[in-house]
Each structure stands twice: as structure tokens, then as C-alpha cells.
């Protein structure tokens, strides 16, 4: 699980979102396919949000350079 948390955090996933994903995993159980699908759904929403924010910042910087 430590590797999962580190990899997620390295991707910029907030610890709060990582904790929410880990809540899907039953205590003492190994991650299964259903867990990874739910994790992916949570990550996708968070990553899409970050991409949108970065694109907005990029566009603002582009406008400033004119």
C-alpha cells in the first residue's frame, strides 16, 4: 500500500483523494480488479480537474505575453 500511496501522491493526487480510494479496499484484503477500477475513476476525475486548471494557467500566461 505504501507504493500505491507514493505513486498516487507523485502524480499529484491529494492525500485526501488517496485516502478516499483506500476506503474502497476492505480491511486486510488485497486490491482486486474492482478496486483498481474505482481507483481509476477517482483518479480520472481528479486528473481531469488538474489538467483543466493547468490549461487555464497556460492560457493566462499566453495572454500575458502578448
Amino acid at each position: 500500500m505504501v507504493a500505491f500511496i507514493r505513486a498516487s501522491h507523485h502524480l499529484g493526487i491529494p492525500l485526501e483523494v488517496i485516502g478516499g480510494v483506500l476506503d474502497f479496499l476492505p480491511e486486510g484484503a488485497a486490491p482486486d480488479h474492482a478496486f483498481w477500477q474505482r481507483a481509476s475513476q477517482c483518479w480520472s476525475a481528479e486528473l481531469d480537474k488538474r489538467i483543466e486548471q493547468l490549461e487555464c494557467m497556460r492560457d493566462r500566461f499566453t495572454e500575458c505575453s502578448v
Side-chain angles (χ1 to χ4, degrees):
M1 264 319 113
V2 173
F4 170 78
I5 294 167
R6 290 181 127 192
S8 302
H9 195 57
H10 180 71
L11 291 172
I13 306 295
L15 291 175
E16 179 181 327
V17 174
I18 297 168
V21 170
L22 291 176
D23 288 342
F24 297 137
L25 187 62
E27 191 172 326
D32 60 7
H33 184 69
F35 169 79
W36 292 117
Q37 283 184 316
R38 293 183 98 180
S40 176
Q41 290 171 351
C42 291
W43 284 345
S44 292
E46 185 65 33
L47 292 174
D48 287 344
K49 181 177 151 186
R50 288 185 167 276
I51 289 167
E52 184 179 333
Q53 290 171 338
L54 289 169
E55 287 175 339
C56 184
M57 287 175 59
R58 178 201 59 206
D59 294 346
R60 286 183 187 165
F61 287 134
T62 301
E63 291 172 7
C64 290
S65 65
V66 176

